[in-house]
Every structure is written in C-alpha cells, then in structure tokens.
Amino acid sequence: MKLWEFKKLKTLPNFFLFYGDEFYLEFYYKKVLNQIKDTEILKFYYDEFDFDSAKNHLAQNSLFGDKNSLIIKTDKFPSNIDKLVEITKDNYFYLFFYGDSKKAKTKPFKNNFVRFFKPDLRELILISNEYMESKNIKNINLDNLKYLISKVDYRFLLSEIEKLALIDDINYKVIDQLVFKYNETSFDEVFDDLFLNKEYLKKLEYLLFQGNEEIAILLSFVRYIRILYMFSLHIKNIGYENVSRDVLGYQIPKNLEELRKKIAFSIKEDKFLEFFEILLNSELEIKSSKDKTAVLFKTFIQIKNLI
C-alpha cells in the first residue's frame, strides 16, 4: 500500500506491517500504541521475540474480556509470521521492521503493509504539525519549524520539538543554542559502530585527527560501557520501557534509545566484567605510555574480540 493510501485509513486493520524509514516507524509506533492502549499489549523488542508466546497471546482472549494486541519491533524478520497473521482474527498484530527493506516479507500481510521512504520537507512539516497538535505545542511557527528541520537530523526532529516546547519565545538564535547537532561525528557513534560490526577505525582515526585526546576517548568509552551495563540491568529486571529516563534521568531520542537497548540486550552480563577490566588496564597504561594512540587502538581491538 502506498503512503497516501495508508494515510487515508481511518482505522488500522487487525494486522499490519510497517517498514522502511525509521522516522516514520517511530512516529507511527507511538500512534499505534495510543490506538490500542485499552487492549492487553504484549511487546517484543529485537532478540526478545518468542513465537510460542506471541502465538498464545493472539490466540486467546484477554483476561478481562477485551482484545489482545501484539507489537513486534525488530531488525530481523521473524519466521512463521504467516501463522501469527492467520490467528490474529479479533485481536491485533502490528510488526515494525527496522531491518533491510528488501528482507521484509509482505506476502503474509496481504495488502496490509506500508513501506516508508525518507520524508521530504513537506512530509516533515506535516508530521511535525500533527505531532505538535497532539501534544498541544503552539510556540513553534512555520518559519521556525523549517529552520529547525534544516539544523537537525530529521530522525531526531520530534524529540527536538518536544524540547523546544518548554521555551516561550522561539527564534533562530534559541534553536541554534538548544538543538544538539546530531550530524556531527561523536564518540558514541564510533562505539555504536564497534558493537554493530560496522567500520569504526576510520571514524576513530578522524576523531584523533580532529585533535581529541586518547584519554578523553577512552574515558568516554568507559562511560558508554557503563551506561550499556545499566541499560542491560534495567531491561532484564524492569523491562524495555523508560530505560534512558530511569537510567540517565532524562529521555534521549527514541531512535537512539532503541539502538542502545538493542546493543545492551545483546551483551551477556559476564562480558561487561571483561570489558571493564580491559578498560581499567588501558586507562592505567595510556596515562604512562608514550604511544597513547597504540594503546587506544589495542583497547578497541580487545573489546572487539570479545563481542
């Protein structure tokens, strides 16, 4: 189904597949959650998915006689999806696929699917206005919205709108001061790439070329691993909701939070202890070494070998 056809739907079918651009996926994920908030919801994030639990949830009625809903957010397309669609019937099943769009299996969903492509300026304005209306945000006019869109990675646009909603007088200067420039290469991007099996060495070399000190990068890495560890504990003991708010005391952009939760969930607890041991030894070594860059690269390689 095309985007314009999807937007014409007044209510969603009982089962539906969303895939493609992450900005849309996060926006409609929130809308779907609001639509099914009165049902009994079972959520699976990434590697959490369990087919038997999902099937049992869809096949039975709620304990209170209401409807059941199944939400799956994943970057690996689950198997036996056709069987889940078949038994959905009066309940609800919504799959948000964050992986390669070519691997999305639309056939089991019949015509109940939509693929999102990167939004253009018009789409970003429309969605931002819809979001602001739903949140009763009235302090950002069209000119300021367009300027904001030009300054921020669109994936984090709605998070920045929510931040600016707290300011009475919005202008270009305020936006420049308050909007975090997510497009700039940061330490955390390098760390993410390391754990996602992406090329990270060139970014690490670039950080050093920019004049960042090895010890600063290493200490940031320690902080990053510590946060992942706290995320992991939260997920295993409390759950997937409100992780960054509970752990950090503030809400980081949702897309970023989902990425960090995915990484944290993939790491076994005993691995964290090995990571910390390596980082502690490297911190002591880098402070006394003449070749600090070599120590830094060795640290990354040691961590990589444990993943």
Side-chain angles (χ1 to χ4, degrees):
M1 156 180 323
K2 303 294 185 183
L3 181 59
W4 65 268
E5 295 175 303
F6 170 72
K7 287 188 172 183
K8 280 189 173 183
L9 295 176
K10 293 182 179 180
T11 57
L12 281 175
N14 284 38
F15 55 90
F16 208 90
L17 166 65
F18 304 81
Y19 70 107
D21 187 85
E22 291 187 13
F23 174 78
Y24 281 110
L25 289 176
E26 285 300 311
F27 179 71
Y28 283 105
Y29 171 71
K30 293 174 183 176
K31 291 193 69 171
V32 167
L33 281 182
N34 186 61
Q35 180 175 315
I36 61 174
K37 62 184 178 182
D38 295 326
T39 67
E40 190 168 334
I41 304 172
L42 175 63
K43 302 175 189 175
F44 288 111
Y45 295 114
Y46 299 100
D47 294 334
E48 271 189 329
F49 176 69
D50 179 76
F51 175 76
D52 289 333
S53 298
K55 181 179 69 173
N56 291 337
H57 186 71
L58 284 176
Q60 65 185 3
N61 293 324
S62 166
L63 296 174
F64 304 102
D66 298 321
K67 294 181 181 293
N68 287 343
S69 297
L70 173 66
I71 296 280
I72 300 175
K73 291 179 73 172
T74 183
D75 57 357
K76 298 175 183 176
F77 210 89
S79 58
N80 296 324
I81 285 299
D82 55 332
K83 295 179 181 178
L84 293 180
V85 171
E86 288 174 5
I87 62 174
T88 298
K89 297 181 181 178
D90 295 329
N91 289 319
Y92 300 106
F93 168 37
Y94 299 118
L95 173 59
F96 293 82
F97 181 57
Y98 287 74
D100 184 349
S101 293
K102 295 177 182 178
K103 296 181 179 179
K105 300 176 183 177
T106 60
K107 188 175 180 181
F109 291 88
K110 302 175 184 177
N111 195 43
N112 295 348
F113 65 88
V114 61
R115 178 179 179 180
F116 299 119
F117 294 90
K118 182 177 179 179
D120 55 20
L121 176 61
R122 177 178 173 276
E123 275 296 310
L124 289 173
I125 291 173
L126 287 173
I127 289 181
S128 296
N129 283 331
E130 182 179 344
Y131 182 76
M132 289 190 290
E133 184 177 348
S134 70
K135 297 284 187 177
N136 198 31
I137 298 173
K138 300 179 179 179
N139 64 328
I140 304 176
N141 62 32
L142 180 59
D143 287 338
N144 287 326
L145 177 60
K146 288 181 178 178
Y147 186 70
L148 174 62
I149 291 172
S150 73
K151 300 296 289 185
V152 67
D153 186 318
Y154 74 96
R155 294 172 298 169
F156 308 114
L157 176 60
L158 301 184
S159 296
E160 293 300 338
I161 287 175
E162 200 162 314
K163 180 197 299 181
L164 293 173
L166 303 174
I167 309 299
D168 292 330
D169 187 17
I170 299 296
N171 53 50
Y172 293 175
K173 184 177 180 180
V174 171
I175 292 173
D176 285 337
Q177 290 174 337
L178 296 182
V179 169
F180 185 82
K181 295 177 177 58
Y182 292 102
N183 284 323
E184 296 179 356
T185 301
S186 67
F187 293 171
D188 285 358
E189 287 178 4
V190 179
F191 308 150
D192 287 337
D193 287 348
L194 174 69
F195 281 96
L196 294 171
N197 291 317
K198 295 182 178 180
E199 169 58 47
Y200 68 91
L201 288 175
K202 289 182 179 178
K203 285 185 179 180
L204 182 57
E205 289 173 351
Y206 184 67
L207 289 178
L208 293 169
F209 175 76
Q210 286 181 310
N212 294 289
E213 295 185 359
E214 290 86 352
I215 187 63
I217 296 174
L218 182 65
L219 292 177
S220 292
F221 200 10
V222 174
R223 174 196 57 80
Y224 175 89
I225 297 293
R226 186 182 295 119
I227 290 173
L228 283 185
Y229 181 53
M230 291 189 291
F231 269 39
S232 176
L233 292 177
H234 188 291
I235 291 168
K236 292 172 183 175
N237 296 305
I238 300 175
Y240 261 87
E241 296 298 321
N242 303 317
V243 178
S244 62
R245 185 176 287 119
D246 291 346
V247 169
L248 304 174
Y250 58 91
Q251 177 68 55
I252 64 175
K254 277 293 183 182
N255 285 4
L256 196 58
E257 182 181 51
E258 292 299 331
L259 175 64
R260 298 284 156 73
K261 287 193 292 188
K262 173 187 173 184
I263 294 172
F265 186 80
S266 69
I267 302 171
K268 294 182 179 179
E269 190 167 345
D270 59 345
K271 289 293 183 183
F272 281 109
L273 299 178
E274 295 183 66
F275 293 159
F276 287 129
E277 184 177 355
I278 290 172
L279 292 169
L280 177 60
N281 291 333
S282 297
E283 185 179 346
L284 295 173
E285 186 178 354
I286 206 169
K287 289 177 179 177
S288 59
S289 175
K290 293 182 179 180
D291 193 348
K292 300 181 188 299
T293 299
V295 176
L296 183 66
F297 276 91
K298 182 183 73 173
T299 304
F300 273 76
I301 293 170
Q302 287 178 316
I303 297 290
K304 179 67 176 176
N305 288 337
L306 288 175
I307 300 174

